Amino acid sequence: MTTVTAPASLPVRRRVAELTGRHVAALQQGYLADRPKAVAAVARLRRGAGRPAGDVPDLWDLVDTGPLHDTDDGARPLREAELVRAEGAVHVALTLWAVHQQSRNTGMHRRDTREDRRGLGAAIRSTMQHGEIDEPLRKRLVRAGTAPDLTGLAQRLRDIVTLLRSHGAQLDYALLAGQLYAWQWPGGPATVRAEWGRSFHAWRGDHAPDGSQPDTPDAP
């Protein structure tokens, strides 16, 4: 049996992240503006959280992964194994975002930057008391990365995302989608767990969970 090894996957991972980012940004804008079509789409996406993409026919016309098949930019066509993993990653990221966004009037997708950390580890760390580590919560993150397959990972991440929603903690879903793609390849779980760990330790509590500057006693 031939072992499927990871291709030079950075370009594919980037395409997955960018496609997810575009989808989430458009849906989030519509949801926050209370546009009926976007609100309905988010409700449909929530029903797919924790379930394989192929098991939710209702989302087939909603999650457009067509750009993954495009080669207009000169990129080579994706192999079947890449497409399956890419489409799964987009599906999981979008459905998790829909769970996260439910009943929130602030966008729960926020891009991760060097100045404003919004990776999964940082998002979890932001829910903890300053200077303290919530070990049970940290272990949830570690456990998520040891899931047996993408569906199991999605289910474990759904529990984490529900917690983030309750705290108003934002997350970069484009970044997460790229990590979900990488996670599915041999050696991927260890790589992604390391990224989550670095993100966890990169959080410095410089911002409140909703992205604003935290209040201080002498704030105007």
Side-chain angles (χ1 to χ4, degrees):
M1 179 178 177
T2 302
T3 300
V4 179
T5 56
S9 58
L10 182 58
V12 181
R13 177 174 172 171
R14 184 179 295 125
R15 288 171 70 177
V16 168
E18 290 179 351
L19 175 61
T20 303
R22 290 197 298 271
H23 273 309
V24 173
L27 285 167
Q28 184 165 276
Q29 182 180 40
Y31 184 85
L32 296 177
D34 201 26
R35 296 173 190 151
K37 186 174 180 180
V39 173
V42 172
R44 289 168 61 191
L45 283 168
R46 282 201 306 273
R47 292 194 288 271
R51 300 171 61 188
D55 288 359
V56 195
D58 185 48
L59 301 185
W60 292 354
D61 66 336
L62 185 60
V63 181
D64 179 14
T65 56
L68 295 173
H69 298 260
D70 294 343
T71 56
D72 294 343
D73 59 357
R76 62 168 176 78
L78 299 189
R79 304 182 185 96
E80 182 67 17
E82 293 171 319
L83 278 171
V84 169
R85 288 165 170 80
E87 290 172 349
V90 173
H91 168 83
V92 171
L94 286 175
T95 55
L96 287 175
W97 166 77
V99 170
H100 198 166
Q101 188 61 56
Q102 182 182 13
S103 302
R104 302 293 308 190
N105 57 12
T106 300
M108 291 294 100
H109 165 62
R110 187 181 181 93
R111 294 304 301 266
D112 176 76
T113 66
R114 190 175 296 275
E115 296 75 27
D116 185 16
R117 296 296 186 181
R118 299 291 164 178
L120 184 61
I124 290 174
R125 184 69 181 274
S126 74
T127 68
M128 301 179 185
Q129 292 293 327
H130 183 69
E132 298 181 7
I133 301 295
D134 183 329
E135 273 302 306
L137 184 52
R138 187 192 67 81
K139 288 178 179 178
R140 273 198 195 187
L141 177 62
V142 173
R143 182 172 175 270
T146 62
D149 52 33
L150 185 63
T151 300
L153 177 59
Q155 292 167 348
R156 295 179 186 185
L157 289 176
R158 179 174 182 165
D159 291 340
I160 291 174
V161 162
T162 300
L163 176 79
L164 296 179
R165 183 183 68 200
S166 69
H167 284 270
Q170 296 163 304
L171 178 63
D172 186 338
Y173 278 91
L175 174 62
L176 180 64
Q179 291 170 333
L180 292 171
Y181 173 78
W183 184 90
Q184 297 173 77
W185 292 95
T191 298
V192 172
R193 285 198 302 270
E195 292 182 13
W196 289 346
R198 287 194 297 272
S199 173
F200 183 89
H201 292 292
W203 175 259
R204 289 292 180 267
D206 297 328
H207 298 81
D210 65 357
S212 62
Q213 293 292 333
D215 291 334
T216 57
D218 58 348

